[in-house]
Amino acid sequence: DAGVTQSPTHLIKTRGQHVTLRCSPISGHKSVSWYQQVLGQGPQFIFQYYEKEERGRGNFPDRFSARQFPNYSSELNVNALLLGDSALYLCASSLLRDTEAFFGQGTRLTVV
Amino acid sequence: GEDVEQSLFLSVREGDSSVINCTYTDSSSTYLYWYKQEPGAGLQLLTYIFSNMDMKQDQRLTVLLNKKDKHLSLRIADTQTGDSAIYFCAESRLVGNEKLTFGTGTRLTIIP
């Protein structure tokens, strides 16, 4: 059974551009969360989506947005990229909103 | 606010026990977790403990919780080279991935 899959695995963007990161949860999982992990730090919570609705938001600017699709996959969008947005972006899925979370391998974003 | 702190580095000889410590500030924390991150990989949930428990043991892993001092520890018995990784302590008010708050991580190095 496939785990949480994220795409792309790596990408490089220029300041001011926008980026879309994708996450496919484990089959049957309805909750998806996004985390940002800057090098040398622990992951920081960005969003949680459950049943296609936003259920939680971390302390990130409005340049960050996300959505969840009917098949429970999710996209994280970041506009007007800054150098400080360079990080590993992790997606986690869980069966329900309050059950164990499984993390994907992450997307490493480099902003130059 | 919520804050989770860990020491950054720990070196242990192969075969010895490793003890990784964590302190947290949020008295509303309900669940406390230990995650493992190997180079280039996502996060692997090792174990978690409910805040009304003092101890949890799972094979080579022992988690101790001192709720009064808001102190959590992870003991790895008979440490092996495959245990080399960064270990993150995290807390949440619900089990699962609703706003997990992570520490900065402890890099465990195994000395042959």
Side-chain angles (χ1 to χ4, degrees):
Chain A
D1 197 12
V4 178
T5 56
Q6 294 186 241
S7 62
T9 54
H10 298 81
L11 76 165
I12 300 173
K13 290 286 189 177
T14 304
R15 273 180 301 175
Q17 286 188 313
H18 99 277
V19 69
T20 297
L21 310 181
R22 295 178 175 84
C23 172
S24 293
I26 292 171
S27 177
H29 284 197
K30 297 183 179 181
S31 179
V32 170
S33 291
W34 288 94
Y35 289 79
Q36 180 197 64
Q37 186 179 16
V38 173
L39 193 63
Q41 296 183 19
Q44 298 288 315
F45 173 77
I46 310 175
F47 288 110
Q48 185 193 34
Y49 277 77
Y50 177 69
E51 288 284 15
K52 292 155 281 184
E53 291 189 10
E54 182 184 305
R55 301 290 184 164
R57 172 186 279 258
N59 188 22
F60 280 81
D62 292 344
R63 299 184 296 108
F64 288 76
S65 63
R67 55 181 175 167
Q68 186 176 33
F69 298 99
N71 66 354
Y72 301 109
S73 67
S74 178
E75 284 182 354
L76 175 70
N77 294 284
V78 187
N79 293 325
L81 285 166
L82 303 174
L83 295 180
D85 295 331
S86 296
L88 180 68
Y89 288 85
L90 294 162
C91 172
S93 81
S94 60
L95 186 60
L96 299 172
R97 189 179 171 195
D98 58 349
T99 52
E100 180 184 335
F102 295 86
F103 280 83
Q105 300 288 85
T107 294
R108 182 157 303 278
L109 171 65
T110 302
V111 182
V112 297
Chain B
E2 304 139 0
D3 195 17
V4 179
E5 294 190 357
Q6 305 175 235
S7 53
L8 292 179
F9 302 100
L10 177 67
S11 295
V12 173
R13 292 205 175 276
E14 190 174 0
D16 287 351
S17 292
S18 306
V19 179
I20 304 170
N21 294 301
C22 168
T23 57
Y24 60 98
T25 58
D26 188 356
S27 56
S28 300
S29 297
T30 305
Y31 291 91
L32 296 128
Y33 308 81
W34 285 103
Y35 282 87
K36 177 182 181 182
Q37 187 175 40
E38 295 180 90
L43 295 170
Q44 176 193 354
L45 177 64
L46 292 176
T47 185
Y48 66 88
I49 189 168
F50 187 51
S51 61
N52 69 352
M53 297 169 64
D54 298 325
M55 186 183 88
K56 182 178 180 182
Q57 188 156 3
D58 183 3
Q59 299 182 335
R60 292 193 298 124
L61 305 179
T62 302
V63 178
L64 295 177
L65 174 61
N66 181 329
K67 193 174 180 182
K68 174 176 168 290
D69 294 339
K70 299 191 182 66
H71 181 267
L72 183 74
S73 68
L74 174 69
R75 178 177 179 269
I76 306 172
D78 187 25
T79 309
Q80 303 298 309
T81 55
D83 295 324
S84 292
I86 300 176
Y87 290 81
F88 290 95
C89 168
E91 62 87 19
S92 76
R93 296 185 185 185
L94 292 173
V95 70
N97 62 345
E98 181 163 321
K99 198 181 179 185
L100 285 167
T101 300
F102 285 86
T104 52
T106 300
R107 182 179 295 275
L108 176 63
T109 301
I110 312 305
I111 304 166

